[in-house]
Amino acid sequence: EVQLLESGGGLVQPGGSLRLSCGASGFTFNNYAMTWVRQAPGKGLEWVSDISASGGGTFYADSVKGRFTISRDNSRNTLYLQMNSLRAEDTAVYYCAKGDQVLGGYFDYWGQGTLVTVSS
Amino acid sequence: EIVVTQSPATLSLSPGERATLSCRASQSVSSYLAWYQQKPGQSPRLLMYDASNRATGIPVRFSGSGSGTDFTLTISSLEPEDCAVYYCLQRSSWPRTFGQGTKLEIK
């Protein structure tokens, strides 16, 4: 059974940093791309970032480019999102999701999400 | 960036009725479109991929069609548990973009 478990969310001040983690199990982690998607309170889904199965390819939404960094540790079956220079508009539930290909596929399994609140 | 627009914003129907949800892309995405269902308090779930393929475990009352810029998700006979927000996602190019969602209410 595929399981994705996010952690690392919480309350942070504007301009601060936070690192999210997503532990994966139930599939061969290094065979699949991974993704972060966020959802602001009461709003729709927003794609944030993709990383290829090897970690060699990364893609970002314009809204986070230069501030967020996606990475993965295939030896630990873990996905990360380093978030710097956080803004109020980054407040959201952050979901990690498994891709169905090495790169560029669909998101076929999702975690339960972790809430990030950016506020003073 | 490809803009994805869903309609209607809200749909209110009775059990047993047919639901038709639309998704339009600002440029062709070929068949690289998925539909997701999100129930209150839950994570999204993949329903359809490549426009017309049901994901694992999805009931046959869900079907998808379309290609290019216009796509449709049809629920043939609504069940109370179909109450959710439905999103489409294009994977034709980066940045990936979701539609704004259609909220389906069951009377």
Side-chain angles (χ1 to χ4, degrees):
Chain A
E1 178 191 6
V2 172
Q3 291 193 344
L4 299 168
L5 186 62
E6 302 95 336
S7 60
L11 176 64
V12 60
Q13 292 187 339
S17 297
L18 212 54
R19 188 177 84 155
L20 306 183
S21 299
C22 173
S25 61
F27 64 101
T28 304
F29 186 70
N30 61 9
N31 282 355
Y32 296 97
M34 296 293 293
T35 291
W36 288 100
V37 173
R38 69 184 180 183
Q39 187 169 35
K43 302 298 184 182
L45 301 172
E46 179 188 14
W47 171 78
V48 172
S49 182
D50 279 357
I51 187 166
S52 66
S54 68
T58 58
F59 300 84
Y60 297 94
D62 285 346
S63 58
V64 307
K65 199 173 295 182
R67 300 188 298 122
F68 289 12
T69 302
I70 191 171
S71 62
R72 63 192 296 162
D73 184 338
N74 285 345
S75 68
R76 295 177 180 268
N77 288 356
T78 303
L79 173 72
Y80 302 101
L81 186 68
Q82 177 67 44
M83 303 186 295
N84 298 331
S85 302
L86 282 161
R87 306 166 180 168
E89 55 264 36
D90 295 318
T91 294
V93 173
Y94 285 74
Y95 296 100
C96 73
K98 170 188 168 292
D100 65 354
Q101 299 180 16
V102 169
L103 178 65
Y106 297 108
F107 321 140
D108 56 0
Y109 291 92
W110 297 59
Q112 86 293 342
T114 187
L115 177 62
V116 172
T117 303
V118 184
S119 174
S120 55
Chain B
E1 172 176 322
I2 297 175
V3 176
V4 178
T5 303
Q6 292 185 240
S7 63
T10 305
L11 193 55
S12 184
L13 295 168
S14 299
E17 288 194 299
R18 182 185 190 92
T20 302
L21 287 67
S22 295
C23 179
R24 174 166 289 178
S26 60
Q27 63 191 77
S28 178
V29 298
S30 186
S31 294
Y32 297 131
L33 187 111
W35 290 92
Y36 290 86
Q37 176 193 63
Q38 187 178 33
K39 296 182 179 180
Q42 295 186 16
S43 304
R45 176 174 73 149
L46 178 65
L47 291 177
M48 313 291 302
Y49 64 94
D50 287 344
S52 61
N53 296 291
R54 270 187 301 277
T56 303
I58 302 304
V60 296
R61 65 178 182 275
F62 290 90
S63 64
S65 64
S67 67
T69 61
D70 291 299
F71 301 86
T72 301
L73 175 70
T74 301
I75 310 172
S76 60
S77 180
L78 284 168
E79 302 278 349
E81 62 263 29
D82 298 332
C83 178
V85 180
Y86 293 82
Y87 296 94
C88 54
L89 164 75
Q90 68 82 18
R91 75 159 185 92
S92 174
S93 65
W94 281 279
R96 324 287 207 109
T97 43
F98 288 94
Q100 79 279 20
T102 290
K103 184 177 183 179
L104 176 59
E105 298 174 343
I106 309 298
K107 294 177 185 175

